[in-house]
Amino acid sequence: MAKYMLIMRGTDEGVAAFRELDVREVIAAMGRYNESMMQAGVLVGGEGLSDADEGAVVDFSAETPVVTDGPYGETKELFNGFWILDVPTRDDAVEWAKRAPLHGAGNKIEVRRVNGPEDFPQDDEWIQKEAVWREQLGTN
């Protein structure tokens, strides 16, 4: 099994359309979707994010990082939340993404594999420390 992150992204158009929806219907649709992943035993975690204007951006373009408050200047897409699934293949993750209760222009889900310990040199001191930390956190 591999872990995949389903990343909800939306354009300004998608975010504006979302704000027109009935919040209780959105919660119910997301709840049913999350429940289906729980029942299938694939959901590892996930969270929705607050409005982008509550956030900040740390830009590393200069030698000293520059922090700016939201809302961001030009936005093409905003990162709105994520799920982490434990599924056998990328295709399985994509199938789950296709079932998400997101509709309308400007809404997308990006599917990315989450790196695991096997993706890094096992003799690296920091990789070994991370393995201990994951054990302590119960996130193995």
Side-chain angles (χ1 to χ4, degrees), residues 5-134:
M5 180 178 270
L6 309 183
I7 304 165
M8 289 186 283
R9 299 184 339 205
T11 62
D12 290 339
E13 178 185 22
V15 171
F18 174 80
R19 290 188 175 133
E20 298 297 318
L21 298 174
D22 181 319
V23 172
R24 290 197 176 276
E25 288 180 23
V26 171
I27 292 170
M30 287 292 181
R32 286 189 293 274
Y33 180 59
N34 293 341
E35 184 176 51
S36 70
M37 291 188 288
M38 285 294 297
Q39 291 174 342
V42 299
L43 184 61
V44 174
E47 299 290 345
L49 300 178
S50 66
D51 286 345
D53 60 1
E54 295 179 29
V57 174
V58 180
D59 185 345
F60 295 92
S61 299
E63 188 171 328
T64 302
V66 176
V67 179
T68 55
D69 293 333
Y72 312 113
E74 284 184 42
T75 56
K76 295 193 182 213
E77 290 184 334
L78 296 171
F79 176 68
N80 299 318
F82 66 92
W83 294 273
I84 296 179
L85 308 183
D86 194 3
V87 293
T89 68
R90 177 184 163 272
D91 289 344
D92 292 311
V94 169
E95 286 303 314
W96 278 106
K98 289 164 55 177
R99 297 178 201 168
L102 302 176
H103 307 284
N107 291 309
K108 298 177 183 175
I109 293 183
E110 179 178 342
V111 178
R112 302 272 303 270
R113 187 176 65 81
V114 176
N115 282 332
E118 67 281 1
D119 293 311
F120 301 99
Q122 298 304 300
D123 61 346
D124 183 272
E125 160 189 5
W126 289 103
I127 298 304
Q128 293 170 357
K129 283 183 179 182
E130 186 171 315
V132 172
W133 296 334
R134 287 178 183 267

